[in-house]
Amino acid sequence: MKIRVGMGFDVHQLEEGRDFWLGGIKLESAKGAVGHSDADVLIHALCDALLGAANLRDIGFHFSNKDERWRGKDSKFFLQEVTRLLAEKGWKIENADCTLCLENPKINPHIPEMKRVLAPLMNVTEEEISIKATTNETLGYVGREEGVNAYAVALISKPDAL
Ligand code: MG
């Protein structure tokens, strides 16, 4: 059995009056993330963790922010595509662990729904996805609510024969 780990990081700016897509769901928030796609920082970090584990480059390589096809795109599509790319190479997703870093809104009440939305896109059960959230203790750009950070690690496996 081959086992590989990957890590991902993403950051997006926050701006008043934008939709805030996070973990595949839309949050009630005065500010939302700015980006070429729907700017879902959690899904982007997760995609990079999975691609990194499989040594398949990164999300920008597969879904360039210069490509008009991806303007305003629902990031759930990217996660589904990344899962498909990994499956093509024989990789099975074992688990993922994510950390969000932002001051507002509070994320904990939304974590069960995020897991429900993300699990089927990754062909795993909710048990295999962990999502955690922390503030940045008001420090730096995250603390000033100018941006949101997401970190993810993922473990994947395949039989030696593949
Ligand atoms: Mg991004």
Side-chain angles (χ1 to χ4, degrees), residues 9-12 34-37 39-45 48 59 65 75:
F9 168 77
D10 197 25
V11 56
H12 280 269
V34 182
H36 181 68
S37 64
D40 191 322
V41 74
L42 175 54
I43 290 187
H44 296 180
D48 266 358
I59 190 170
N65 62 7
S75 291

Side-chain angles (χ1 to χ4, degrees), residues 49-144:
L50 292 165
L51 289 168
N55 201 353
L56 290 171
R57 305 289 300 263
D58 59 34
I59 190 170
F61 177 82
H62 294 281
F63 309 104
S64 167
N65 62 7
K66 306 281 184 282
D67 191 331
E68 284 303 314
R69 278 181 300 167
W70 316 130
R71 183 177 295 281
K73 191 77 181 175
D74 182 341
S75 291
K76 293 191 279 295
F77 169 82
F78 302 144
L79 185 56
Q80 208 160 23
E81 278 299 291
V82 164
T83 300
R84 192 185 58 74
L85 279 169
L86 264 64
E88 260 177 27
K89 303 271 181 193
W91 292 108
K92 172 181 179 290
I93 299 170
E94 295 290 342
N95 79 305
D97 181 25
C98 312
T99 299
L100 286 165
C101 194
L102 73 168
E103 301 296 319
N104 280 300
K106 290 295 163 217
I107 299 303
N108 270 314
H110 304 290
I111 287 175
E113 194 189 346
M114 289 177 178
K115 290 167 65 166
R116 254 195 313 276
V117 168
L118 298 180
L121 303 174
M122 297 164 66
N123 289 335
V124 298
T125 67
E126 293 161 41
E127 284 295 294
E128 270 72 59
I129 305 176
S130 156
I131 300 171
K132 313 184 301 299
T134 179
T135 70
N136 213 43
E137 296 285 338
T138 75
L139 294 166
Y141 65 85
V142 170
R144 292 190 297 273

Side-chain angles (χ1 to χ4, degrees), residues 144-162:
R144 292 190 297 273
E145 300 186 40
E146 293 166 4
V148 51
N149 287 351
Y151 306 82
V153 294
L155 198 74
I156 60 174
S157 70
K158 69 171 152 185
D160 282 323
L162 291 182

